[in-house]
Amino acid sequence: MEKRKRLFIYLLFAAQLGLSTPQVLRIGGIFETRESELVSMDELAFKFAVNNINRNKTLMPNTTLTYDIQRINLFDGFEASRRVCDQLALGVVAVFGPSHSSSVSAVQSICNALEVPHIQTRWKHPSVDNKDTFFINLFPEYTAIARAILDVVTFFKWRKLTVVYEDSTGLMRMQELIKAPAKLNLKIKIRQLTPGNQDARPLLKELKKDKEFFIIFDCSYHMAAELLKQLSSMGMMTEYYHFFFTTLDLFALDLEPYRYSGVNMTGFRLLNIDDPWVTSTMDKWAMERLQGPKQESGLMDGVMTTDAALMYDAVFMVAVASQRATQMTVSSLQCHRHKPWRFGPRFMNLFKEAQWDGLTGHIVLNKTDGLRRDFDLDIISLKEDGTARGITEGGSRLTKRWIKIAVWNSYRGMNLMDSNRDKNNNVTDSLANRTLIVTTILENPYVMHKKSDKELVGNDRFEGYCLDLLKELSNILGFTYEVRLVVDGKYGAQNDKGEWNGMVRELIDHVADLAVAPLTITYVREKVIDFSKPFMTLGISILYRKPNGTNPGVFSFLNPLSPDIWMYVLLACTGVSCVLFVIARFTPYEWYNPHPCNPSSTLVQNNFTLLNSFWFGVGALMRQGSELMPKALSTRIVGGIWWFFTLIIISSYTANLAAFLTVERMDAPIDSADDLAKQTRIEYGAVRDGSTMTFFKKSKISTYEKMWAFMSSRKNTALVKNNREGITRVLTTDYAMLMESTSIEYISQRNCNLTQIGGLIDSKGYGVGTPIGSPYRDKVTIAILQLQEEGKLHMMKEKWWRGNGCPEEDNKEANALGVENIGGIFIVLAAGLVLSVFVAIGEFIYKARRNADIEECVSFRAVMEELGISLQCYKGIRRRSRPHSGARSACIFCQPKRTAKREAVRRDSST
């Protein structure tokens, strides 16, 4: 019993001693070498990872990791098969490499047969039958990469782009993007680089000619480095181009020559350089590489590529899986015997279940196919200023050239960084120390030649509102500028062939960076160039000669009321007088006894005869009254209403009388655009190839269509070259100019013979033009909004628009009334006096005839006697005249029939 107990203790001690004995774990690596490099980058990363694992005893405390490395030539599948069999005969737990597809397939078939894990770190097209059960690939799954590319295009809101790929595998990575046009309204051009030829300049020249500003390059980092050099030589490294490289090694390229070009360059990055451990590991790698032979050109010195990082992580994944594998032995395998490794499936499962936070982020493998489907990609952009904010000085050099704008996850999609979601950076970040070409056009008061006794050069040659605006923008954004006048002197319009001219053309061709001028924001221009927010709002109006003023006429006192109102007042007076006469006759309270001393008299009298009723109405209308006063309630109601009516009429008349007696009336032949459209005597037009002409050309309103038909039929005379020519025509001929209201305001302030006719035909704004997709547009907009809030835009307009003013408009004192103003009153007075004389004569003759009604005729002597008595009587009382008899020869009015009639009446009455 005691012997058994001692034997058990001995076996237990031997087992513990055996477990504590260091084990050796071998992995195999097959690497392809190129003529340009002695040792491949994958092999260097492979050795670097093994050395770090062996130094770090916490990961594999009782195990030493060794390796067997075999080098083969490119495209040599037979050699790869022979070398992998040699490694399996030595006994390896996993095989790494090679990278080329033909060699990979040969090695993979052998590993599948012998059930040894085959680990890849390069992109490989998956097998159709999915029989590669012992295949593991740490490179991100290709369909996820395709979705990431599509999400980036959607994020940047590209609507037109060009895809340039290097080989057929690029089309597979672009499959999601190629299928997208039907869903996202994308226009995609697909071009291939010439196989075996690194000179892509003919293709780049064609892309530049076609104005393809958004280009996706799918190529290796070797080709990307060559493309960047050729893009720079072609003059395409500008802020108007946006290049997106699908290679995961864009961050590793030496981009120092392009850092200050302003080019937009975006790419993916798999390395998680924000992790301090990753940064430390990459720095150690860089120190070792700088001590060795110089790497190939195009990469920064000592930088670790994505393939090297994936190889490093793959070796560490083997170490993590081996740590969990207990009592696993590695046996020698023979390719010709087809006897698999009995621990192969178990180790494969442990490998798929392992997780590791490596250089390329968190590594999780799909347990079904061994692919890496869950991963993060940093979307990086080349920094414009070349400095890093928020990065410690001890950080990697890589952070000084790139900025992470978003993180893309294969399951969650795009996630913007907080620094890009809420940008608080100064708007001068990308415009500081840059010189921009500014195109403009001579137009008062926006851009004018500065008057000086000395010869002026450069920007000092010009002055005006736009120059002040440009100076303020320069102060805010920090850029310098060079002002150039547009070559053809036009704003920019599209001809029948779809070609543009003027400043718009220069922006399209990238001859200029900005167009600071009275350039109207229109729909057709917005399709080919970009505009900032408007710095001035305005509309189209009509410029015409100020009509000659007409002084008030002698009968201008009638003008306060229209002829219709005068007629209605006359009818109202007549109607009220008639109503008053009828009511006064009808009511019994208007009849009275003419002899109050004789109450028994049966005679009654009514003062409101027809003539008296008219006299009452006229007296009330003239505000003079009369001796006749209504007695009955009904007649008093009529009188009161009439007095109220006359009160309003006279008050309204008096209120308007002063204006009509003193103000000159401006009789303009046109008052609006409708008046222009209805006539052909006054010619009208606009600036040729300007926004005003385009407005009428594109308008669907009948009035404006009619006006455009008139202008287009007389293009040689109706359309002018510029505003100066149009103003001259307005002053010298019968011509109306259609132009912007701000220009009319400026012109009318300096020329009192011109004025604006009517209101605004439309509403529009002036904006700063930029080439489409320009990075300056948003920054200029922010600066304009800042100037608007500070009130500087208003102050600049007051500075350049305020003129001396017109003298007659400034004189607001009241003028004395002359004969030409109120002479009509004297004419009416004289006419009334003359009329009264003739009426008096008529009354006198009529009365004289009544007094001589017995006589057959009225003698001249009797008339003269009656007139003499009237003129000599100083008192208000005289004796009634008696009839006189005279000779018939002295009669001047003979009425024999009337006399006979009167005598017959007398005889009848006496009888």
Side-chain angles (χ1 to χ4, degrees), residues 622-643:
M622 298 299 177
R623 312 301 297 164
Q624 298 302 316
S626 66
E627 73 281 2
L628 300 174
M629 287 297 153
K631 298 181 179 64
L633 178 61
S634 57
T635 53
R636 287 182 177 181
I637 292 175
V638 174
I641 293 298
W642 175 244
W643 289 340

Side-chain angles (χ1 to χ4, degrees), residues 535-562:
F535 59 82
M536 185 179 295
T537 56
L538 60 143
I540 297 175
S541 192
I542 303 171
L543 178 68
Y544 193 61
R545 292 195 315 274
K546 186 176 292 185
N548 296 326
T550 57
N551 293 324
V554 292
F555 291 100
S556 59
F557 64 88
L558 297 176
N559 293 337
L561 300 180
S562 65

Side-chain angles (χ1 to χ4, degrees), residues 356-595:
W356 173 252
D357 291 325
L359 301 180
T360 59
H362 188 65
I363 302 174
V364 179
L365 299 176
N366 187 279
K367 296 179 181 180
T368 303
D369 52 16
L371 299 179
R372 188 176 180 182
R373 297 183 181 273
D374 187 5
F375 59 91
D376 292 336
L377 284 176
D378 291 344
I379 300 176
I380 56 175
S381 179
L382 186 66
K383 298 178 74 75
E384 294 177 341
D385 55 359
T387 60
R389 291 183 175 87
I391 303 297
T392 59
E393 191 65 28
S396 173
R397 295 173 300 151
L398 304 176
T399 61
K400 296 183 179 181
R401 292 178 175 84
W402 297 96
I403 182 172
K404 182 165 67 173
I405 60 177
V407 176
W408 186 90
N409 182 266
S410 54
Y411 291 114
R412 295 184 297 273
M414 186 86 68
N415 182 26
L416 292 178
M417 303 300 296
D418 293 337
S419 59
N420 289 276
R421 184 181 292 108
D422 301 321
K423 280 191 175 181
N424 294 320
N425 294 340
N426 196 303
V427 295
T428 63
D429 285 348
S430 64
L431 287 177
N433 301 322
R434 290 182 183 240
T435 300
L436 305 182
I437 304 300
V438 180
T439 180
T440 188
I441 190 171
L442 288 176
E443 188 68 57
N444 295 343
Y446 301 96
V447 180
M448 302 175 289
H449 282 296
K450 184 184 295 185
K451 298 180 181 179
S452 176
D453 297 335
K454 302 178 181 179
E455 183 180 0
L456 302 176
V457 295
N459 300 336
D460 296 334
R461 296 172 297 164
F462 308 105
E463 65 177 356
Y465 177 89
C466 287
L467 271 298
D468 287 355
L469 174 63
L470 195 55
K471 184 178 179 180
E472 293 292 339
L473 295 177
S474 174
N475 293 336
I476 295 175
L477 301 177
F479 65 88
T480 57
Y481 56 90
E482 178 184 347
V483 178
R484 298 178 183 176
L485 294 177
V486 62
V487 177
D488 58 4
K490 295 181 179 180
Y491 288 89
Q494 195 175 19
N495 59 19
D496 297 335
K497 297 180 180 179
E499 298 174 348
W500 287 86
N501 56 18
M503 290 183 288
V504 177
R505 179 72 184 190
E506 292 190 355
L507 292 177
I508 294 175
D509 293 340
H510 294 88
V511 176
D513 300 306
L514 300 176
V516 183
L519 188 63
T520 307
I521 303 173
T522 62
Y523 168 72
V524 290
R525 287 175 179 170
E526 188 72 45
K527 292 194 296 185
V528 293
I529 63 174
D530 285 339
F531 280 100
S532 68
K533 294 293 184 182
F535 59 82
M536 185 179 295
T537 56
L538 60 143
I540 297 175
S541 192
I542 303 171
L543 178 68
Y544 193 61
R545 292 195 315 274
K546 186 176 292 185
N548 296 326
T550 57
N551 293 324
V554 292
F555 291 100
S556 59
F557 64 88
L558 297 176
N559 293 337
L561 300 180
S562 65
D564 294 341
I565 296 299
W566 283 116
M567 183 183 67
Y568 295 150
V569 170
L570 181 61
L571 293 178
C573 183
T574 304
V576 169
S577 300
C578 293
V579 171
L580 182 61
F581 170 73
V582 172
I583 293 180
R585 291 286 171 175
F586 183 76
T587 180
Y589 297 103
E590 288 294 341
W591 295 91
Y592 67 96
N593 186 1
H595 304 289

Side-chain angles (χ1 to χ4, degrees), residues 646-663:
T646 57
L647 172 66
I648 301 301
I649 289 295
I650 296 303
S651 299
S652 303
Y653 173 82
T654 306
N656 289 335
L657 182 61
F660 280 88
L661 290 178
T662 57
V663 178

Side-chain angles (χ1 to χ4, degrees), residues 829-840:
L829 177 61
L833 294 176
V834 173
L835 179 62
S836 64
V837 170
F838 280 102
V839 171

Side-chain angles (χ1 to χ4, degrees), residues 538-752:
L538 60 143
I540 297 175
S541 192
I542 303 171
L543 178 68
Y544 193 61
R545 292 195 315 274
K546 186 176 292 185
N548 296 326
T550 57
N551 293 324
V554 292
F555 291 100
S556 59
F557 64 88
L558 297 176
N559 293 337
L561 300 180
S562 65
D564 294 341
I565 296 299
W566 283 116
M567 183 183 67
Y568 295 150
V569 170
L570 181 61
L571 293 178
C573 183
T574 304
V576 169
S577 300
C578 293
V579 171
L580 182 61
F581 170 73
V582 172
I583 293 180
R585 291 286 171 175
F586 183 76
T587 180
Y589 297 103
E590 288 294 341
W591 295 91
Y592 67 96
N593 186 1
H595 304 289
C597 297
N598 185 11
S600 61
S601 176
T602 59
L603 295 176
V604 289
Q605 187 177 353
N606 193 322
N607 287 332
F608 282 98
T609 63
L610 187 59
L611 290 178
N612 285 347
S613 298
F614 275 104
W615 177 249
F616 175 84
V618 172
L621 184 62
M622 298 299 177
R623 312 301 297 164
Q624 298 302 316
S626 66
E627 73 281 2
L628 300 174
M629 287 297 153
K631 298 181 179 64
L633 178 61
S634 57
T635 53
R636 287 182 177 181
I637 292 175
V638 174
I641 293 298
W642 175 244
W643 289 340
F644 178 75
F645 173 82
T646 57
L647 172 66
I648 301 301
I649 289 295
I650 296 303
S651 299
S652 303
Y653 173 82
T654 306
N656 289 335
L657 182 61
F660 280 88
L661 290 178
T662 57
V663 178
E664 292 186 358
R665 301 186 63 187
M666 312 298 283
D667 294 330
I670 54 174
D671 291 325
S672 63
D674 292 332
D675 295 341
L676 274 181
K678 293 176 183 177
Q679 58 83 45
T680 56
R681 182 180 64 84
I682 301 175
E683 194 173 24
Y684 53 90
V687 175
R688 184 180 286 106
D689 296 335
S691 62
T692 303
M693 186 202 79
T694 305
F695 168 79
F696 286 97
K697 185 177 181 180
K698 301 292 184 181
S699 178
K700 300 301 180 182
I701 301 175
S702 58
T703 300
Y704 305 149
E705 285 182 333
K706 186 176 180 181
M707 295 176 69
W708 171 245
F710 176 86
M711 289 186 280
S712 59
S713 63
R714 307 184 183 187
K715 283 188 177 181
N716 295 331
T717 57
L719 300 179
V720 295
K721 183 178 180 181
N722 50 45
N723 285 343
R724 292 188 298 276
E725 180 183 343
I727 294 169
T728 303
R729 290 198 57 188
V730 172
L731 290 171
T732 56
T733 62
D734 198 8
Y735 179 80
M737 179 81 173
L738 295 161
M739 60 191 304
E740 284 79 4
S741 58
T742 50
S743 299
I744 295 177
E745 180 183 354
Y746 173 80
I747 295 166
S748 59
Q749 282 283 329
R750 286 154 178 79
N751 195 325
C752 297

